[in-house]
Amino acid sequence: MKLHFLGTGGYHPNERRHTACLMVPEVGLVFDAGTAAFRIPGLLQTDELTICLSHAHLDHICGLTYLLVPLLDGRLKQARLFARQAVLDAVRNHLFAEPVFPLLPENLLFLPLEETTQIDVGPDLSVTHHPLVSHPGGSNAFRLEWHRGSKTLSLAYVTDTTVDGSYDDFIQGAQLLVHECYFSDEQIELAQRTGHSCVSMVTQLAQRVGAGQLVLVHMDPTRTDNNPVNITQARKHFRNVCLAEDQTHIDLKSLPTVC
Ligand SMILES: [Zn+2]
Ligand SMILES: [Zn+2]
């Protein structure tokens, strides 16, 4: 079971990174559907998808429209879209407004997170969710849990938030923490003003919650260099951290791994 990083940047695509989209093809699970969602059809292993949206900002939803073809030609029987009701309403009424994108596939199902505490995505595999309050309009964190022998393993996906202490319990002990990191430490004021995180606050969080491995996503798209957030500084707090790159993957069955 592999987690694929299809899109690892924030805001807008650049020559190195498309915007937010993660996928576990073996169980048809997708977190966010940014511009990288055009890569989903090429990785399909199931005829159903479960898509969990953090929030409705365009860099996380615009790629939903790219699923029209596999939803119409039968490669996908259905896609279940889980998000807060306000996010689902925005997707239905604005992204799929007739002048914007005139076809809303019938087999795209809109399912409010408010009505479920746990999303089943396969045998012995479930996703829970938790609200994030410091991003304009709010966002949602997700946690995927599965079992290996008597052990419960987990992946937490947290994007579009400032590290504010409000979700430490939710991500406690995750073997793999995928967390946004839009800014370097010098930009802390901007991070707080825009509801994003800078690198040391994320690595301190990973250390605090006992994460096994930290992968940073949702980087500032104006930075296409190898070290956009000064990762060297970040490693002082938490050694097992790396920046995600598009079209790479992590084998969830062999966690914890060093990247
Ligand atoms: Zn974003
Ligand atoms: Zn956002």
Side-chain angles (χ1 to χ4, degrees), residues 55 57 59-60 135-136 160 196 218:
H55 62 313
H57 288 170
D59 52 329
H60 301 257
H135 193 60
D160 292 61
H196 286 293
H218 204 276

Side-chain angles (χ1 to χ4, degrees), residues 27-240:
V27 293
L29 176 64
V30 172
F31 293 113
D32 281 333
T35 60
F38 78 93
R39 293 176 168 143
I40 291 175
L43 286 173
L44 284 177
Q45 292 181 29
T46 57
D47 59 8
E48 295 189 3
L49 286 181
T50 302
I51 305 168
C52 300
L53 294 182
S54 60
H55 62 313
H57 288 170
L58 280 171
D59 52 329
H60 301 257
I61 66 163
C62 64
L64 288 170
T65 57
Y66 312 155
L67 296 176
L68 176 69
V69 174
L71 281 167
L72 289 184
D73 70 13
R75 274 178 289 166
L76 282 173
K77 271 198 230 152
Q78 65 172 27
R80 300 186 299 164
L81 190 60
F82 286 94
R84 281 177 292 125
Q85 185 65 59
V87 170
L88 296 177
D89 291 345
V91 168
R92 186 194 291 277
N93 299 330
H94 300 293
L95 186 66
F96 286 98
E98 204 177 0
V100 180
F101 195 83
L103 221 161
L104 176 61
E106 277 175 13
N107 46 357
L108 180 62
L109 311 180
F110 288 68
L111 300 160
L113 280 179
E114 288 89 338
E115 290 175 15
T116 179
T117 49
Q118 185 172 301
I119 303 164
D120 292 325
V121 288
D124 226 14
L125 211 69
S126 61
V127 174
T128 50
H129 54 93
H130 186 82
L132 301 169
V133 294
S134 61
H135 193 60
S139 184
N140 256 275
F142 295 98
R143 181 170 181 143
L144 171 68
E145 293 202 331
W146 66 98
H147 300 284
R148 187 163 72 195
S150 58
K151 270 189 153 183
T152 302
L153 301 183
S154 59
L155 144 72
Y157 173 56
V158 184
T159 194
D160 292 61
T161 187
T162 309
V163 175
D164 59 9
S166 71
Y167 54 91
D168 287 27
D169 288 348
F170 180 70
I171 63 170
Q172 190 70 38
Q175 274 72 31
L176 176 59
L177 173 59
V178 179
H179 198 290
E180 82 128 272
C181 188
Y182 201 95
F183 293 114
S184 62
D185 286 347
E186 296 71 40
Q187 297 166 296
I188 187 161
E189 260 182 55
L190 210 50
Q192 279 162 345
R193 187 142 43 93
T194 57
H196 286 293
S197 298
C198 41
V199 65
S200 287
M201 54 170 84
V202 183
T203 48
Q204 283 166 8
L205 171 70
Q207 203 255 347
R208 197 161 71 233
V209 301
Q213 181 176 344
L214 170 63
V215 179
L216 303 176
V217 293
H218 204 276
M219 268 74 73
D220 176 355
T222 64
R223 297 290 300 263
T224 53
D225 55 296
N226 289 332
N227 195 16
V229 294
N230 195 353
I231 196 97
T232 323
Q233 192 167 325
R235 287 210 170 94
K236 285 179 195 155
H237 306 294
F238 190 82
R239 254 168 44 91
N240 197 7

